[in-house]
Amino acid sequence: MNTISATNKTTILKKLLKFFLPILIIPIIVVVFFYHYYINTLITKGIINQSKNTIERISKSQDIQKHLKVSQDISLPNISIIDSEAKVILTNILYDQHIDIIKKYIIDVTNTKDVKLYHNKANKFMIKPIVENNKVTAFIIINYKNNIDKRLATTSQTLTFILVIVILTFFISIIFTLLFAVQITTPIKELINGIEIISKGDKTHKIEVSTNDEINILVNSFNDMINKINNHQKDIEVLNNNLTHRVKKEVEENRKKDQQLIQQSRLAQMGEMISMIAHQWRQPLAAISSTSTSISLKAQLNKLDNDLAIRLSNKISDYSLHLSSTIDDFREFFRTNKEKRDITYNELIQSVLSIVETSILNKNININKNINCNDTLSTYPNEVKQVILNIIKNAEDILLEKNIQNPTITIETKCGELVIRDNAGGIPNDIIDKVFDPYFSTKTEKDGTGLGLYMSKTIIEKHCGGELTVANNDEGAVFTIKLRDNDD
Ligand SMILES: Nc1ncnc2c1ncn2[C@@H]1O[C@H](COP(=O)(O)OP(=O)(O)OP(=O)(O)O)[C@@H](O)[C@H]1O
Ligand SMILES: [Mg+2]
């Protein structure tokens, strides 16, 4: 199981900060931007408009006295009126140096007869000529710089206050966010630690958290789940134990069954063997019998000299040796190999044929050998020989049963593969899948056990780790034994 890494532990905290920071930073940016824009644009524009309105109102009164009255009514401290000679009629703000500056602009204003704005670093003026009877009689001047400065001062005070509040809110929010995050992450960390302990194997560990909220509910559900998993695991362990016990029992029973089958098939094979031994022995026994008859006849006719007696008795002893070696072959055949041995395909085939060939040839069945591989392979020779013998005997049975013309069994080897085929017409398609099943036999007359091919497949595939398959070709059945040449 994966352990929870330290980086994961801080994820919630990070996420909260990521989420809250933009929310807090955005108002600050908005305030700063607004502050800047307001100061530079809005206030200036507003004051200019306001001053223009004032100057228009004053200029609309009909004569100088009225202008003065209107301007006094408005009681603006920054309004001045000078006559066409630049003599000051009314002023709240104009000083001599201002008058000098204004004089420079008067001619310009006179030409346009409109409100003109004059900005420099120290002053911001607005001048409008008063025209009476098509003649400029005076100029109304508003110096609105003070207005702007004052408004800026108050606005900037307000905005600074707002900014301070926003920044304070920002920091307070961060502190609250952190506190909130810590409140969430602490029980989650406790949960993660508990999960780590459980994942390391302590399934009895109970996770405790000190909160009384959804996380507590989550932890309780988790504890419940672990309990259930533990119970299920115990059930599974019990089931597993039962299953292992049953599998062991079944395997043991199967082994016994297999042993019985092997025994049964051995007995059947021994029956076959006895008939083969009979075939093998018939000729040497006849020879022994005729030699001893000849000894007895010669003795009766007094024609048995020493030389002849020795020659004939040597002959009998040779035949007896032959009989004895045949018995050795058979005995060797039934001995099971406990260990693998190196052997060539040729040796395997020769050894089977030495037992079976005479009886097959006596039944006028041809045996073709086609050995194409002289490599050795490491295997259990006697087991493989039994398989070869089973397949050859089956071919013999079917060739005789069907009374095939020119009956032939062909044994062919390529490296890693041994093929035994016959020309008896093949295995019918409806039973070809069953021939390796135990007790499957079509040999009613001969009383077949149906164990030959089953045992053969078991030997090749389970014991020797190879493969035994069957198929039909145009002439008959083709059995292929593939043996692996390895030492496992
Ligand atoms: N070369 C073959 N051609 C056609 N059919 C075959 C051939 N070899 C086997 N069979 C079929 O496969 C069946 C099963 O063979 P298997 O060797 O397992 O048992 P069996 O030969 O019938 O009995 P037992 O081996 O005890 O004599 C045979 O009864 C036969 O029908
Ligand atoms: Mg058989």
Side-chain angles (χ1 to χ4, degrees):
M1 207 181 281
N2 286 341
T3 52
I4 300 118
S5 66
T7 44
N8 287 345
K9 285 181 189 170
T10 53
T11 311
I12 291 184
L13 207 63
K14 276 186 190 166
K15 273 189 184 163
L16 278 172
L17 286 177
K18 256 192 204 168
F19 179 70
F20 277 107
L21 278 180
I23 292 180
L24 294 168
I25 284 172
I26 287 167
I28 293 178
I29 295 172
V30 169
V31 167
V32 169
F33 177 75
F34 182 69
Y35 180 81
H36 183 75
Y37 179 76
Y38 196 79
I39 285 174
N40 284 322
T41 321
L42 287 184
I43 290 184
T44 314
K45 264 191 190 169
I47 299 249
I48 289 174
N49 283 341
Q50 209 182 331
S51 303
K52 268 186 183 170
N53 286 343
T54 311
I55 223 166
E56 290 297 345
R57 259 169 72 197
I58 298 171
S59 71
K60 270 181 193 145
S61 45
Q62 275 143 22
D63 54 42
I64 295 263
Q65 288 313 309
K66 281 189 181 165
H67 301 319
L68 287 173
K69 189 156 180 350
V70 173
S71 53
Q72 273 155 358
D73 284 353
I74 294 168
S75 76
L76 289 173
N78 53 357
I79 294 181
S80 306
I81 299 177
I82 54 170
D83 67 11
S84 53
E85 307 296 289
K87 227 175 85 194
V88 176
I89 298 170
L90 170 95
T91 183
N92 293 324
I93 45 128
L94 293 178
Y95 305 106
D96 289 347
Q97 75 266 33
H98 292 144
I99 299 294
D100 289 342
I101 297 163
I102 290 161
K103 273 181 189 167
K104 278 199 262 167
Y105 301 123
I106 285 176
I107 301 156
D108 184 24
V109 178
T110 310
N111 289 340
T112 63
K113 298 200 176 74
D114 217 344
V115 178
K116 277 262 172 182
L117 305 183
Y118 296 101
H119 289 185
N120 61 32
K121 261 197 181 158
N123 294 292
K124 291 186 196 312
F125 291 105
M126 190 180 280
I127 308 176
K128 181 169 167 83
I130 301 168
V131 182
E132 286 173 4
N133 300 327
N134 283 331
K135 218 177 134 199
V136 175
T137 53
F139 298 96
I140 306 166
I141 303 147
I142 294 185
N143 184 351
Y144 53 87
K145 185 172 183 305
N146 275 353
N147 282 11
I148 290 178
D149 289 347
K150 265 189 207 161
R151 188 76 67 83
L152 281 183
T154 39
T155 316
S156 115
Q157 256 179 11
T158 319
L159 287 174
T160 314
F161 178 70
I162 293 172
L163 203 65
V164 168
I165 297 275
V166 168
I167 290 172
L168 268 179
T169 319
F170 172 77
F171 282 111
I172 290 170
S173 306
I174 285 190
I175 291 166
F176 275 107
T177 306
L178 288 175
L179 286 176
F180 179 65
V182 167
Q183 269 217 334
I184 292 181
T185 52
T186 309
I188 291 180
K189 272 185 195 163
E190 286 170 20
L191 175 63
I192 291 170
N193 285 343
I195 293 173
E196 262 181 27
I197 295 174
I198 292 169
S199 68
K200 276 179 188 152
D202 183 0
K203 288 180 191 124
T204 54
H205 180 76
K206 198 162 184 293
I207 303 172
E208 310 266 358
V209 290
S210 41
T211 55
N212 199 12
D213 50 15
E214 284 81 357
I215 293 182
N216 197 3
I217 299 172
L218 173 72
V219 167
N220 285 341
S221 312
F222 187 81
N223 281 337
D224 271 0
M225 187 186 78
I226 293 292
N227 262 346
K228 280 181 188 154
I229 290 176
N230 282 345
N231 290 342
H232 283 314
Q233 205 162 353
K234 273 181 202 152
D235 289 350
I236 289 173
E237 270 166 25
V238 171
L239 275 176
N240 246 352
N241 283 344
N242 286 347
L243 203 69
T244 319
H245 184 70
R246 272 174 60 188
V247 168
K248 254 189 190 166
K249 221 172 123 189
E250 284 291 322
V251 168
E252 186 56 28
E253 273 172 17
N254 268 349
R255 211 175 55 82
K256 277 188 188 152
K257 219 164 103 188
D258 271 357
Q259 274 175 347
Q260 277 172 359
L261 287 180
I262 292 173
Q263 202 53 33
Q264 236 176 312
S265 132
R266 282 269 167 83
L267 286 173
Q269 263 188 349
M270 273 164 108
E272 300 268 11
M273 286 289 180
I274 286 168
S275 97
M276 288 180 231
I277 292 173
H279 277 290
Q280 298 264 40
W281 276 17
R282 191 166 292 150
Q283 195 235 344
L285 278 178
I288 289 172
S289 157
S290 78
T291 313
S292 65
T293 312
S294 135
I295 291 173
S296 143
L297 270 173
K298 298 260 176 190
Q300 279 170 22
L301 297 171
N302 275 334
K303 283 188 178 168
L304 187 68
D305 55 32
N306 275 357
D307 272 0
L308 188 62
I310 289 167
R311 216 157 23 88
L312 290 176
S313 65
N314 278 350
K315 231 176 164 182
I316 289 175
S317 139
D318 284 349
Y319 288 133
S320 309
L321 273 178
H322 180 65
L323 292 181
S324 157
S325 88
T326 317
I327 286 291
D328 283 348
D329 279 355
F330 281 100
R331 266 185 40 216
E332 159 67 18
F333 195 84
F334 278 104
R335 193 172 295 142
T336 46
N337 293 115
K338 293 266 183 291
E339 304 229 323
K340 285 189 172 179
R341 187 159 75 75
D342 281 350
I343 192 159
T344 62
Y345 278 113
N346 198 17
E347 282 172 306
L348 283 169
I349 292 163
Q350 268 328 117
S351 156
V352 177
L353 288 181
S354 70
I355 291 166
V356 82
E357 198 168 20
T358 325
S359 95
I360 289 179
L361 293 178
N362 277 344
K363 288 163 192 159
N364 293 323
I365 296 172
N366 305 316
I367 296 179
N368 279 348
K369 276 182 288 174
N370 197 354
I371 313 287
N372 294 315
C373 180
N374 288 319
D375 290 356
T376 56
L377 74 153
S378 169
T379 191
Y380 302 98
N382 285 350
E383 276 74 356
V384 180
K385 283 189 227 164
Q386 275 182 37
V387 174
I388 299 172
L389 183 73
N390 279 341
I391 297 170
I392 292 178
K393 286 300 292 174
N394 279 345
E396 179 195 321
D397 288 346
I398 196 87
L399 286 167
L400 294 177
E401 184 191 312
K402 289 195 175 170
N403 200 11
I404 299 291
Q405 294 293 306
N406 195 20
T408 309
I409 297 172
T410 307
I411 303 167
E412 215 167 39
T413 63
K414 288 178 230 156
C415 284
E417 198 172 287
L418 193 156
V419 179
I420 301 168
R421 51 193 162 82
D422 58 60
N423 61 346
I427 306 171
N429 283 335
D430 55 331
I431 65 162
I432 196 161
D433 290 336
K434 299 181 196 154
V435 294
F436 293 112
D437 292 349
Y439 302 112
F440 178 82
S441 174
T442 54
K443 297 171 190 167
T444 40
E445 240 173 68
K446 207 188 138 221
D447 207 12
T449 63
L451 291 173
L453 287 181
Y454 169 72
M455 284 314 302
S456 302
K457 194 152 180 95
T458 309
I459 287 170
I460 296 295
E461 296 192 351
K462 289 203 184 143
H463 201 165
C464 302
E467 207 184 318
L468 171 63
T469 51
V470 66
N472 287 323
N473 71 5
D474 291 346
E475 296 189 314
V478 182
F479 284 88
T480 307
I481 302 171
K482 284 186 184 153
L483 286 169
R484 280 194 297 145
D485 180 24
N486 56 25
D487 291 332
D488 50 26

